[in-house]
Amino acid sequence: MNQKDIAAIRKHFKLNAEAVKIADIYNIYIRQDSNEIFYEELRSFPFVEQEHQELFLANFKKVLGGKIDEKLFEVKFQHPEPGQTDHTQTLLYEALRTDEIEEWAGMMQRIALKMVQEAPFEKDMVVTFIRFKYNKPTRRHSEETEIDMRDEVWTSRFILCSINQTELPKQSLVFDYIEREFKSNIFINPVIKLDAPIGGFMFPCFTDNAADVNHILYAAQKAHQPDFGFIENVLNGTEIVTAVEEKAMFEEVVKTVIGEEVNVGTLATVYDEINQMILAEAEREDEEESVPMIDARTVEIVLKASGVEDVTTEKVEQAFQQVVDDRQYEMKASSVVPKYTSKSIKINTKVANISISPQDLKYVRQVNVKGKRCLLIELEEDTEIEGFKLISEELLD
C-alpha cells in the first residue's frame, strides 16, 4: 500500500459516505484486573446512534493516520505452524469470506483473546472491529459526486481494528444551582479515549487494485515505536524495519564505504541526488504511486555522482553484506533522506544547536579560523540578535 491509498480510505470515514460502507461493528470491553472479556456488543453500524457513529468514524481515521514506515507498517504474515488453529491471517481471511455476522464476530473475539493472552494491558481497554466495503474509482468521469454511475469502480472488503484505553474522569467541584451549594462531582463510568487510539490494524492490504491477503497494515500508537510483541504474537507477523532503522542502515553503509569523515558538500549532494529520485517518481503520470528503492547499485551511483572517489561495486556490496547481511537488500528512498524541505537536520555543538533543511545544507561548512574549528553558514540577509544587526567581520581570506 502507499500513502495515497491510505489517505483515500481515511477521507471517506464520514457519515453517509458512498466509497466506504461500514456493515457491522463489534465492541469488546477488556478488564485490566482480570485480563478477560467483560462485555461485548455486536451491532449493525447503520443502526448505531449518529453521535456514536461520528465518534467511531473519527477514531478510525486516527488509526489510519501517520506515514508509512513511521506510524503505519505493512506487515507480512508468518507461515502458520502445523496444526495452528488461531493464526491471525487465517481468522481474518475466513472472517472476510463469511456473510454470517455472528461467525464474523466469533473470529474477531478469538483475535481479541490473543491480545489478552499475548499482550496484557495496563488499563481497561476497548477493542473495536468493523468490516466495511471500499469502492475505489479506478477512473473518474465526474467530480460532482463521490462515485458517479459512469465510474469504473474496484470494490473489496476490509476489516479494521482499533484499540483504545479507558480512564476514570477526575473528581471535580461543582455548584448545584437547585440546592445552592458546592458538591463533589464523582464519576464512576470510565471514559473510552476514542480520540487517541493506542493501536490497530487493517486487513487486507491492497496494491494496484488487488487485495493482498499476505500482508496486514499495522498502526502503532506513536511514530517509530511499533509494538514488536504485538506484531509477532497477536498478528503473527514477521519482523519489520522502521524508517529510522533504515536511515541508520543507510548511514552505516555509506560510512563503511567512504569512512567516518565527510565534508558537508558531499553529504548535501548525496541527499540531493536521492531527493531527485523521489521527485522523479512522484512526477510520473498515469501510473500508480510507487516508492523508489535504493540498493547497492543505487548507492554506488549516488556516491560517484557526489564526487566520492574510489567507490567500487565490490566495496558497496561488501558494505551491504556487513551492515544488513544481504547484498541485495533494498531501502526506501524516502526513509534514508531527512525531510527535505523542513529543518530536519540537527547540528548540535556545545555553543549552539542549529536546525537546517537538507536543501540548505550546501550553505554550511566547517572551517578552520586561526587554528580553531568554526561552523560557517552562508547568509543572504543580515543577522539580527536581540534586535541588533550584526557587523560582518573579515576573518577569512
Tab-separated table of all heavy atoms in Angstrom, residues 120-147:
chain	number	residue	atom	x	y	z
A	120	PRO	N	-0.963	-8.448	27.515
A	120	PRO	CA	-1.850	-7.957	28.582
A	120	PRO	C	-1.758	-6.444	28.731
A	120	PRO	O	-0.689	-5.853	28.567
A	120	PRO	CB	-1.347	-8.688	29.828
A	120	PRO	CG	0.025	-9.158	29.492
A	120	PRO	CD	0.034	-9.402	28.025
A	121	PHE	N	-2.889	-5.825	29.062
A	121	PHE	CA	-2.976	-4.363	29.111
A	121	PHE	C	-2.822	-3.854	30.537
A	121	PHE	O	-3.115	-4.546	31.508
A	121	PHE	CB	-4.306	-3.897	28.525
A	121	PHE	CG	-4.522	-4.324	27.101
A	121	PHE	CD1	-5.555	-5.191	26.772
A	121	PHE	CD2	-3.698	-3.875	26.096
A	121	PHE	CE1	-5.766	-5.592	25.464
A	121	PHE	CE2	-3.890	-4.266	24.781
A	121	PHE	CZ	-4.930	-5.125	24.461
A	122	GLU	N	-2.381	-2.599	30.645
A	122	GLU	CA	-2.198	-1.968	31.951
A	122	GLU	C	-3.455	-1.236	32.407
A	122	GLU	O	-3.561	-0.864	33.572
A	122	GLU	CB	-1.019	-0.989	31.894
A	122	GLU	CG	0.319	-1.666	31.599
A	122	GLU	CD	1.459	-0.682	31.536
A	122	GLU	OE1	1.188	0.537	31.635
A	122	GLU	OE2	2.615	-1.116	31.393
A	123	LYS	N	-4.388	-1.011	31.487
A	123	LYS	CA	-5.646	-0.345	31.820
A	123	LYS	C	-6.789	-1.103	31.168
A	123	LYS	O	-6.578	-1.946	30.299
A	123	LYS	CB	-5.648	1.112	31.328
A	123	LYS	CG	-4.637	2.013	32.012
A	123	LYS	CD	-4.805	3.447	31.518
A	123	LYS	CE	-3.847	4.400	32.232
A	123	LYS	NZ	-4.023	5.806	31.780
A	124	ASP	N	-8.017	-0.789	31.602
A	124	ASP	CA	-9.167	-1.333	30.898
A	124	ASP	C	-9.123	-0.847	29.455
A	124	ASP	O	-8.806	0.321	29.188
A	124	ASP	CB	-10.472	-0.873	31.548
A	124	ASP	CG	-10.730	-1.570	32.878
A	124	ASP	OD1	-9.855	-2.309	33.337
A	124	ASP	OD2	-11.816	-1.355	33.446
A	125	MET	N	-9.445	-1.756	28.525
A	125	MET	CA	-9.339	-1.425	27.111
A	125	MET	C	-10.640	-1.737	26.389
A	125	MET	O	-11.422	-2.596	26.811
A	125	MET	CB	-8.217	-2.244	26.450
A	125	MET	CG	-6.877	-2.178	27.160
A	125	MET	SD	-6.157	-0.538	27.143
A	125	MET	CE	-5.885	-0.339	25.406
A	126	VAL	N	-10.851	-1.052	25.294
A	126	VAL	CA	-11.952	-1.359	24.384
A	126	VAL	C	-11.360	-1.662	23.012
A	126	VAL	O	-10.634	-0.838	22.453
A	126	VAL	CB	-12.962	-0.201	24.280
A	126	VAL	CG1	-13.990	-0.477	23.181
A	126	VAL	CG2	-13.668	0.016	25.613
A	127	VAL	N	-11.644	-2.857	22.514
A	127	VAL	CA	-11.192	-3.267	21.185
A	127	VAL	C	-12.402	-3.237	20.264
A	127	VAL	O	-13.433	-3.848	20.563
A	127	VAL	CB	-10.567	-4.672	21.212
A	127	VAL	CG1	-10.069	-5.056	19.822
A	127	VAL	CG2	-9.428	-4.735	22.228
A	128	THR	N	-12.284	-2.519	19.167
A	128	THR	CA	-13.401	-2.355	18.230
A	128	THR	C	-13.021	-2.923	16.874
A	128	THR	O	-11.948	-2.608	16.339
A	128	THR	CB	-13.775	-0.872	18.078
A	128	THR	OG1	-14.133	-0.339	19.358
A	128	THR	CG2	-14.949	-0.704	17.124
A	129	PHE	N	-13.902	-3.747	16.331
A	129	PHE	CA	-13.726	-4.290	14.989
A	129	PHE	C	-14.870	-3.805	14.108
A	129	PHE	O	-16.031	-3.759	14.542
A	129	PHE	CB	-13.752	-5.827	15.005
A	129	PHE	CG	-12.635	-6.468	15.767
A	129	PHE	CD1	-12.806	-6.820	17.103
A	129	PHE	CD2	-11.419	-6.741	15.158
A	129	PHE	CE1	-11.785	-7.425	17.816
A	129	PHE	CE2	-10.386	-7.346	15.863
A	129	PHE	CZ	-10.572	-7.688	17.194
A	130	ILE	N	-14.542	-3.448	12.877
A	130	ILE	CA	-15.578	-3.163	11.887
A	130	ILE	C	-15.226	-3.911	10.603
A	130	ILE	O	-14.058	-4.230	10.361
A	130	ILE	CB	-15.724	-1.657	11.565
A	130	ILE	CG1	-14.396	-1.087	11.030
A	130	ILE	CG2	-16.230	-0.885	12.755
A	130	ILE	CD1	-14.530	0.319	10.452
A	131	ARG	N	-16.219	-4.193	9.820
A	131	ARG	CA	-15.946	-4.676	8.462
A	131	ARG	C	-16.672	-3.744	7.510
A	131	ARG	O	-17.807	-3.334	7.752
A	131	ARG	CB	-16.360	-6.131	8.280
A	131	ARG	CG	-17.791	-6.487	8.585
A	131	ARG	CD	-18.003	-7.954	8.256
A	131	ARG	NE	-19.359	-8.392	8.582
A	131	ARG	CZ	-19.816	-9.609	8.286
A	131	ARG	NH1	-19.057	-10.474	7.641
A	131	ARG	NH2	-21.058	-9.952	8.610
A	132	PHE	N	-15.984	-3.416	6.431
A	132	PHE	CA	-16.541	-2.430	5.512
A	132	PHE	C	-16.141	-2.755	4.084
A	132	PHE	O	-15.187	-3.502	3.830
A	132	PHE	CB	-16.068	-1.012	5.879
A	132	PHE	CG	-14.592	-0.773	5.751
A	132	PHE	CD1	-14.041	-0.265	4.575
A	132	PHE	CD2	-13.736	-1.024	6.818
A	132	PHE	CE1	-12.683	-0.037	4.459
A	132	PHE	CE2	-12.366	-0.789	6.709
A	132	PHE	CZ	-11.844	-0.287	5.529
A	133	LYS	N	-16.886	-2.194	3.160
A	133	LYS	CA	-16.554	-2.275	1.740
A	133	LYS	C	-15.980	-0.940	1.302
A	133	LYS	O	-16.470	0.122	1.673
A	133	LYS	CB	-17.798	-2.606	0.907
A	133	LYS	CG	-18.252	-4.042	0.992
A	133	LYS	CD	-19.417	-4.294	0.042
A	133	LYS	CE	-19.852	-5.760	0.072
A	133	LYS	NZ	-20.991	-6.012	-0.845
A	134	TYR	N	-14.946	-1.024	0.485
A	134	TYR	CA	-14.334	0.181	-0.061
A	134	TYR	C	-14.503	0.165	-1.563
A	134	TYR	O	-14.026	-0.735	-2.254
A	134	TYR	CB	-12.852	0.233	0.314
A	134	TYR	CG	-12.095	1.389	-0.300
A	134	TYR	CD1	-12.634	2.675	-0.344
A	134	TYR	CD2	-10.819	1.201	-0.831
A	134	TYR	CE1	-11.934	3.725	-0.903
A	134	TYR	CE2	-10.102	2.244	-1.380
A	134	TYR	CZ	-10.668	3.514	-1.424
A	134	TYR	OH	-9.965	4.553	-1.979
A	135	ASN	N	-15.211	1.157	-2.076
A	135	ASN	CA	-15.443	1.299	-3.513
A	135	ASN	C	-14.488	2.363	-4.044
A	135	ASN	O	-14.676	3.550	-3.811
A	135	ASN	CB	-16.891	1.709	-3.787
A	135	ASN	CG	-17.880	0.719	-3.204
A	135	ASN	OD1	-17.784	-0.478	-3.438
A	135	ASN	ND2	-18.836	1.219	-2.431
A	136	LYS	N	-13.473	1.921	-4.741
A	136	LYS	CA	-12.441	2.827	-5.221
A	136	LYS	C	-12.575	3.047	-6.714
A	136	LYS	O	-12.420	2.116	-7.509
A	136	LYS	CB	-11.057	2.246	-4.914
A	136	LYS	CG	-9.907	3.115	-5.446
A	136	LYS	CD	-8.577	2.398	-5.290
A	136	LYS	CE	-7.436	3.219	-5.901
A	136	LYS	NZ	-6.147	2.505	-5.849
A	137	PRO	N	-12.889	4.278	-7.138
A	137	PRO	CA	-12.942	4.558	-8.576
A	137	PRO	C	-11.574	4.383	-9.211
A	137	PRO	O	-10.580	4.936	-8.738
A	137	PRO	CB	-13.393	6.019	-8.637
A	137	PRO	CG	-14.009	6.299	-7.310
A	137	PRO	CD	-13.259	5.450	-6.328
A	138	THR	N	-11.489	3.596	-10.256
A	138	THR	CA	-10.217	3.408	-10.963
A	138	THR	C	-10.040	4.433	-12.065
A	138	THR	O	-8.932	4.696	-12.500
A	138	THR	CB	-10.139	2.005	-11.571
A	138	THR	OG1	-11.249	1.812	-12.463
A	138	THR	CG2	-10.212	0.953	-10.472
A	139	ARG	N	-11.149	5.006	-12.509
A	139	ARG	CA	-11.082	6.084	-13.496
A	139	ARG	C	-12.304	6.964	-13.294
A	139	ARG	O	-13.437	6.507	-13.369
A	139	ARG	CB	-11.064	5.529	-14.918
A	139	ARG	CG	-10.869	6.609	-15.983
A	139	ARG	CD	-10.747	5.981	-17.357
A	139	ARG	NE	-9.624	5.054	-17.418
A	139	ARG	CZ	-9.410	4.235	-18.433
A	139	ARG	NH1	-10.232	4.217	-19.454
A	139	ARG	NH2	-8.367	3.416	-18.417
A	140	ARG	N	-12.081	8.252	-13.003
A	140	ARG	CA	-13.182	9.154	-12.676
A	140	ARG	C	-13.728	9.839	-13.925
A	140	ARG	O	-12.993	10.266	-14.782
A	140	ARG	CB	-12.729	10.224	-11.687
A	140	ARG	CG	-12.260	9.672	-10.351
A	140	ARG	CD	-13.359	8.880	-9.656
A	140	ARG	NE	-14.536	9.678	-9.420
A	140	ARG	CZ	-14.736	10.404	-8.334
A	140	ARG	NH1	-13.822	10.443	-7.387
A	140	ARG	NH2	-15.845	11.104	-8.181
A	141	HIS	N	-15.067	9.921	-13.984
A	141	HIS	CA	-15.730	10.652	-15.067
A	141	HIS	C	-16.422	11.911	-14.550
A	141	HIS	O	-16.806	12.770	-15.320
A	141	HIS	CB	-16.784	9.769	-15.741
A	141	HIS	CG	-16.199	8.587	-16.455
A	141	HIS	ND1	-15.535	8.689	-17.649
A	141	HIS	CD2	-16.156	7.274	-16.113
A	141	HIS	CE1	-15.130	7.483	-18.049
A	141	HIS	NE2	-15.486	6.617	-17.129
A	142	SER	N	-16.616	11.957	-13.245
A	142	SER	CA	-17.352	13.084	-12.692
A	142	SER	C	-16.726	13.524	-11.380
A	142	SER	O	-16.268	12.711	-10.592
A	142	SER	CB	-18.815	12.697	-12.446
A	142	SER	OG	-19.496	13.730	-11.760
A	143	GLU	N	-16.716	14.820	-11.134
A	143	GLU	CA	-16.226	15.361	-9.874
A	143	GLU	C	-17.384	15.878	-9.021
A	143	GLU	O	-17.179	16.389	-7.934
A	143	GLU	CB	-15.244	16.526	-10.138
A	143	GLU	CG	-13.993	16.101	-10.887
A	143	GLU	CD	-13.153	15.107	-10.101
A	143	GLU	OE1	-13.215	15.139	-8.858
A	143	GLU	OE2	-12.444	14.302	-10.727
A	144	GLU	N	-18.623	15.720	-9.502
A	144	GLU	CA	-19.768	16.261	-8.794
A	144	GLU	C	-20.145	15.439	-7.572
A	144	GLU	O	-20.613	15.956	-6.571
A	144	GLU	CB	-20.968	16.368	-9.740
A	144	GLU	CG	-20.733	17.335	-10.895
A	144	GLU	CD	-21.939	17.415	-11.814
A	144	GLU	OE1	-22.934	16.707	-11.530
A	144	GLU	OE2	-21.900	18.184	-12.774
A	145	THR	N	-19.959	14.126	-7.630
A	145	THR	CA	-20.300	13.248	-6.525
A	145	THR	C	-19.108	12.376	-6.188
A	145	THR	O	-18.138	12.312	-6.934
A	145	THR	CB	-21.502	12.348	-6.883
A	145	THR	OG1	-21.152	11.553	-8.019
A	145	THR	CG2	-22.735	13.178	-7.189
A	146	GLU	N	-19.221	11.675	-5.044
A	146	GLU	CA	-18.127	10.794	-4.648
A	146	GLU	C	-17.899	9.704	-5.681
A	146	GLU	O	-16.787	9.427	-6.090
A	146	GLU	CB	-18.428	10.160	-3.285
A	146	GLU	CG	-18.234	11.108	-2.123
A	146	GLU	CD	-18.277	10.372	-0.805
A	146	GLU	OE1	-18.915	9.309	-0.734
A	146	GLU	OE2	-17.664	10.860	0.154
A	147	ILE	N	-18.956	9.028	-6.087
A	147	ILE	CA	-18.865	7.966	-7.077
A	147	ILE	C	-19.973	8.152	-8.104
A	147	ILE	O	-21.147	8.166	-7.763
A	147	ILE	CB	-18.979	6.572	-6.424
A	147	ILE	CG1	-17.822	6.364	-5.441
A	147	ILE	CG2	-18.974	5.487	-7.472
A	147	ILE	CD1	-17.858	5.047	-4.734
